[in-house]
Amino acid sequence: MADTKFLKGKCNKTGRYFGLEIKQNRGRWEVVNFLEIPEEEARVITSEIRQPSFETATSLLPCENCGSRKVGGCSCTARRCPVQRGEYNFQCVYCKNMEIDYSSVSSIAGYKEGDVIRLSQGQEVKITFNGKPLKRIVVGLGWDPMTVGRPMDLDSSVVVMGPTAYETVYFGDKIHKSGCVVHHGDNLTGVGSVQSDDENIDAFLDKVPYDRNKLVFVVNIYDCVARGQRLGSVRNMYIKLYDPDTRKVLIEYRVDGNLRNSTSIIVGYAFREGQDWKFKAVGTGSDAISIGTLADECFRKFR
């Protein structure tokens, strides 16, 4: 099974939004979960997977009315489709009023160009500014260690990867051989934030080699075993993507997962899809105790 992706569904009768979780099975994407989402969350989701039609996985119930598995593929009545009464259930995925919404962030009601896009775990969005793709972004990572006693040394790194190989940019090797990633170390600028970012990274998206398609942003605790430290002692971890010229925050993800026993974290990754670059919020903790083992884990998960 491939990585999980998301579609944005919209009920044309009520104007309400729905999230459809999809996974690939034998070359086609199938819906494996369905839930209502608030409009503010729908603003940052763009349906990226396109195929002539979508059906639900065989592990889910088909339409009660006609047995169809096609999204929006039957004419459910009000009795069988509670969304028309202001409620919903899984059967609504089959209702003729349900359609896949491919609109971009800026075209959704209530979103103003220039707003900071705030992601939740698992969400992804195109990396653009004023509706145009960016060739370069500045990435800021921040956190607040709450430990008492020996200081906690957290280090950010970038795993530059493709389907068959990867390289790691970190405090010991700050510039990727292609020049696509430059790590600036601790507390360099804090651009765009009220409190300075702990570490900043330049990503030149137009310099990423053709055989590399992901930039995975990670954080690990230096010497975590000897110091007995875990990320449960860290608060307010975030990643921000800035426009390099205006220093405006474009995308922000504040990690909200349970990292109590983790020693490192995969914060998120930028990835190339066709001519576009997108960013996905991950927020997954790991028990990797070094950047080397963490990079290996990223390669296994995301290549």
Side-chain angles (χ1 to χ4, degrees):
M1 300 291 277
D3 287 351
T4 296
K5 298 284 188 179
F6 293 90
L7 298 175
K8 179 172 61 182
K10 184 178 182 181
C11 175
N12 288 324
K13 186 176 182 66
T14 65
R16 297 163 76 180
Y17 290 98
F18 298 85
L20 285 73
E21 181 181 356
I22 59 174
K23 289 188 177 181
Q24 200 169 37
N25 181 25
R26 297 180 181 179
R28 286 185 61 84
W29 292 89
E30 295 181 339
V31 176
V32 297
N33 198 12
F34 172 83
L35 71 162
E36 185 174 8
I37 57 175
E39 184 173 341
E40 58 269 20
E41 184 173 335
R43 292 174 188 168
V44 299
I45 298 177
T46 301
S47 301
E48 300 295 341
I49 302 298
R50 291 178 180 266
Q51 60 186 27
S53 62
F54 291 89
E55 295 188 353
T56 57
T58 55
S59 58
L60 302 174
L61 292 173
C63 176
E64 295 174 354
N65 192 34
C66 65
S68 171
R69 289 193 174 276
K70 183 178 177 182
V71 175
C74 67
S75 301
C76 293
T77 64
R79 180 177 61 82
R80 292 184 179 272
C81 191
V83 71
Q84 298 184 48
R85 300 198 303 266
E87 302 174 356
Y88 85 97
N89 62 22
F90 186 82
Q91 292 292 309
C92 296
V93 75
Y94 304 115
C95 176
K96 67 178 181 180
N97 292 310
M98 181 64 59
E99 70 171 18
I100 306 302
D101 185 351
Y102 289 101
S103 63
S104 63
V105 171
S106 60
S107 66
I108 299 175
Y111 176 84
K112 301 187 298 297
E113 184 63 56
D115 286 353
V116 177
I117 300 173
R118 293 183 171 86
L119 300 181
S120 297
Q121 187 177 43
Q123 292 182 331
E124 61 186 53
V125 67
K126 289 183 181 179
I127 301 173
T128 62
F129 183 53
N130 289 334
K132 298 180 180 179
L134 290 173
K135 294 182 179 180
R136 175 189 169 212
I137 53 173
V138 176
V139 179
L141 294 109
W143 50 76
D144 295 324
M146 308 297 287
T147 53
V148 177
R150 192 168 188 179
M152 178 182 285
D153 182 8
L154 280 78
D155 297 310
S156 67
S157 306
V158 185
V159 185
V160 182
M161 71 167 60
T164 61
Y166 72 89
E167 301 81 37
T168 307
V169 179
Y170 68 112
F171 66 87
D173 189 359
K174 295 181 180 178
I175 303 177
H176 189 264
K177 60 185 179 181
S178 69
C180 70
V181 173
V182 178
H183 196 307
H184 294 293
D186 295 344
N187 297 312
L188 181 69
T189 62
V191 290
S193 56
V194 177
Q195 296 180 339
S196 294
D197 302 330
D198 288 282
E199 298 191 3
N200 288 103
I201 298 161
D202 278 344
F204 296 86
L205 302 178
D206 59 338
K207 293 183 180 181
V208 178
Y210 74 93
D211 57 350
R212 301 290 184 267
N213 58 4
K214 290 186 178 73
L215 307 177
V216 187
F217 300 94
V218 300
V219 174
N220 69 291
I221 305 172
Y222 180 77
D223 205 18
C224 60
V225 175
R227 300 181 183 188
Q229 295 174 335
R230 298 289 185 272
L231 288 177
S233 300
V234 176
R235 300 289 184 272
N236 304 321
M237 181 173 286
Y238 66 81
I239 184 170
K240 296 178 181 179
L241 278 61
Y242 302 89
D243 170 61
D245 296 323
T246 64
R247 293 300 195 258
K248 173 179 171 50
V249 180
L250 306 176
I251 301 167
E252 178 181 342
Y253 167 50
R254 293 191 172 271
V255 178
D256 53 5
N258 181 3
L259 304 175
R260 182 176 60 182
N261 296 316
S262 300
T263 53
S264 55
I265 179 175
I266 303 168
V267 183
Y269 62 86
F271 63 102
R272 182 169 50 208
E273 192 169 90
Q275 299 299 312
D276 298 320
W277 276 91
K278 303 169 188 175
F279 178 79
K280 182 168 184 173
V282 178
T284 301
S286 167
D287 59 4
I289 61 174
S290 70
I291 181 54
T293 54
L294 182 56
D296 286 342
E297 180 180 328
C298 291
F299 184 60
R300 292 193 303 270
K301 284 186 175 181
F302 302 122
R303 63 178 172 177

